[in-house]
Amino acid sequence: MFKPSRRILLSALGGGVALVGAGAAWRVTRVPHKAVVPWNLETGPLRDIRLEAFRHAILAPNPHNRQPWQIRLLGDNEAIVTCDLERRLPETDPFDRQITIGFGAFIELAAIAAAERGYEARITPFPEGAPGEGARLDRRPILHVRFQRDDSIAKDPLFAWITRRRSSKLPYDMSRPVPKDVLSKLSGEAGGMMRFGHAVEADVAARLRDLAGRAMVLELETPHTLKESIDIARVGAAEIDANPDGISLQGPLFEALGLLGSDSVRKQALDPSSNAYRSAMARFARMFAATPAFFWLVSQGNTRAEQVEAGRRYVRLNLAANALGLSVNPVSQALQEYPEMRAHFAAMHAICGAKGQERVQMLARLGYADPVGPSPRWPLGAKLVA
């Protein structure tokens, strides 16, 4: 079989794969298949309402796609959900705030799916207590859920969008501003403990584009935070299918580079002088520059309960935005708590109008873009524990 030289493959990083060899063409057109099977829920509902709810819940957005949930079924109608502590992000998320937000998104999808079957999901966050101020998550449950039959419960119109929900990292169409009436519709999904904010005005959106973009660059230029991402990068379809979590690097370019071996690709990605590194920087610059609007969620404080609520509200906003034809992409780098990000953290809170103990929990890009495919997921069975 033809195997491109290292020189040819590395030169391809600058602008796409132009030469891979006829014998290797199939290698550069592969896409993951096994990794996206969990999104196909066309089969009838499962008999156990908990499994039915959780097969939808595992499709929730979560930081770096770590999918840290562990589900234990109790009795006939209960479950507890804990965190796989090996799937946290200690460098970019040192207090597990973003991981906790991901659990909120997870349980909101479970509740929506349960309502579709006529069940109420009665949710108790941190039933055995939450970690103290400044502490990380531990082995105590994050969520306890009891599924109670309730024929009067209303079905949620967002249910139809669970399997169609996407997070799009593409550049958005700057010729199509986001109408204010659309933002008004979205704001209805951000009640509870969250305050919804948004920016479509040119000056504010420009400030957010600049600051969010600089925060992304800082994360990429900080060795310990960059390495955390590169360590969980999955290069090419075969690797994504084998480990459908973390950061997926797919497409013809990465299929070709995969011929060098994943470790070689990761080494390139960690080297600021490499074409791979510069290519990533340029891609993110284009992405932020093409962002017509942003929205954010602000809580009164920063308790674990508020973090869970932020996740619940964020995923509803994501679903509602997709239903309105919009693309969404969370960009919370400037909200992260590691020391190097401190100045951007303060600046982002000022732009978003957070005062005193208030906390910006989520920031997301908003606009119109071409459709994208679903993110890889582990199947539900991989998340059930005895």
Side-chain angles (χ1 to χ4, degrees):
M1 183 183 73
F2 171 84
K3 186 173 182 179
S5 71
R6 179 182 179 84
R7 178 183 61 79
I8 289 173
L9 285 168
L10 292 183
S11 67
L13 277 164
V17 178
L19 177 62
V20 295
W26 69 275
R27 294 294 301 273
V28 299
T29 56
R30 292 184 62 193
V31 295
H33 292 291
K34 182 180 176 182
V36 298
V37 167
W39 290 87
N40 182 6
L41 300 181
E42 293 179 358
T43 57
L46 303 179
R47 180 175 297 179
D48 190 319
I49 184 58
R50 297 169 296 180
L51 298 180
E52 174 67 8
F54 291 136
R55 72 172 181 158
H56 289 82
I58 62 170
L59 306 179
N62 61 104
H64 276 31
N65 198 26
R66 293 302 281 146
Q67 304 167 53
W69 24 79
Q70 295 178 314
I71 306 160
R72 187 191 310 168
L73 304 181
L74 302 175
D76 295 327
N77 67 338
E78 297 179 58
I80 61 170
V81 184
T82 55
C83 180
D84 183 341
L85 301 182
E86 298 301 315
R87 293 180 173 273
R88 296 174 297 172
L89 300 163
E91 302 300 334
T92 55
D93 188 25
F95 305 117
D96 302 328
R97 180 187 63 84
Q98 294 180 104
I99 288 287
T100 304
I101 289 173
F103 277 93
F106 171 92
I107 203 59
E108 181 64 20
L109 294 191
I112 293 172
E116 187 71 13
R117 287 275 304 280
Y119 284 82
E120 178 189 7
R122 298 183 177 179
I123 301 160
T124 304
F126 295 94
E128 296 179 13
E133 182 72 23
R136 300 184 67 197
L137 297 177
D138 51 39
R139 298 193 181 280
R140 286 176 291 178
I142 305 241
L143 303 159
H144 175 270
V145 196
R146 177 180 289 107
F147 294 89
Q148 187 71 39
R149 184 73 192 180
D150 182 354
D151 293 330
S152 68
I153 195 168
K155 293 184 177 183
D156 195 316
L158 295 179
F159 172 79
W161 288 90
I162 291 179
T163 57
R164 290 184 278 173
R165 184 201 63 79
R166 303 288 185 264
S167 295
S168 174
K169 299 178 179 66
L170 296 176
Y172 296 164
D173 186 348
M174 292 297 284
S175 70
R176 294 186 65 189
V178 179
K180 289 190 175 181
D181 66 314
V182 169
L183 290 163
S184 297
K185 293 176 183 177
L186 289 179
S187 67
E189 303 296 342
M193 294 186 280
M194 296 296 115
R195 186 174 82 245
F196 177 74
H198 58 80
V200 292
E201 299 80 5
D203 57 338
V204 181
R207 292 170 63 197
L208 286 169
R209 284 195 296 269
D210 175 67
L211 181 54
R214 285 189 288 116
M216 174 69 80
V217 169
L218 176 60
E219 183 173 302
L220 293 174
E221 290 181 342
T222 303
H224 66 96
T225 55
L226 173 61
K227 187 175 185 302
E228 181 173 77
S229 297
I230 298 304
D231 283 348
I232 57 172
R234 317 301 185 203
V235 183
E239 192 166 295
I240 293 169
D241 276 337
N243 292 283
D245 58 22
I247 298 173
S248 298
L249 304 177
Q250 58 181 298
L253 173 61
F254 291 107
E255 289 300 324
L257 291 175
L259 297 175
L260 293 174
S262 298
D263 289 343
S264 178
V265 177
R266 292 187 180 92
K267 183 178 179 180
Q268 287 285 314
L270 287 168
D271 179 4
S273 68
S274 72
N275 284 331
Y277 186 94
R278 292 195 296 267
S279 177
M281 284 289 198
R283 182 170 66 85
F284 286 126
R286 290 192 298 271
M287 182 187 82
F288 281 107
T291 305
F294 291 84
F295 72 80
W296 57 87
L297 290 171
V298 181
S299 58
Q300 293 183 357
N302 192 32
T303 65
R304 293 295 182 183
E306 287 170 309
Q307 292 166 13
V308 170
E309 180 70 6
R312 299 187 70 173
R313 293 298 170 178
Y314 171 75
V315 78
R316 294 190 65 84
L317 285 164
N318 195 166
L319 294 168
N322 285 179
L324 291 167
L326 286 156
S327 295
V328 175
N329 173 211
V331 285
S332 293
Q333 287 76 22
L335 307 179
Q336 295 171 156
E337 298 93 343
Y338 57 92
E340 293 89 343
M341 194 62 72
R342 191 169 292 130
H344 292 339
F345 178 96
M348 186 59 74
H349 278 71
I351 292 177
C352 295
K355 297 182 173 64
Q357 298 301 310
E358 290 184 333
R359 185 61 180 273
V360 183
Q361 296 290 353
M362 290 295 296
L363 174 73
R365 301 168 61 233
L366 188 66
Y368 297 95
D370 293 333
V372 297
S375 300
R377 286 294 185 275
W378 286 100
L380 175 59
K383 298 301 177 180
L384 297 173
V385 298

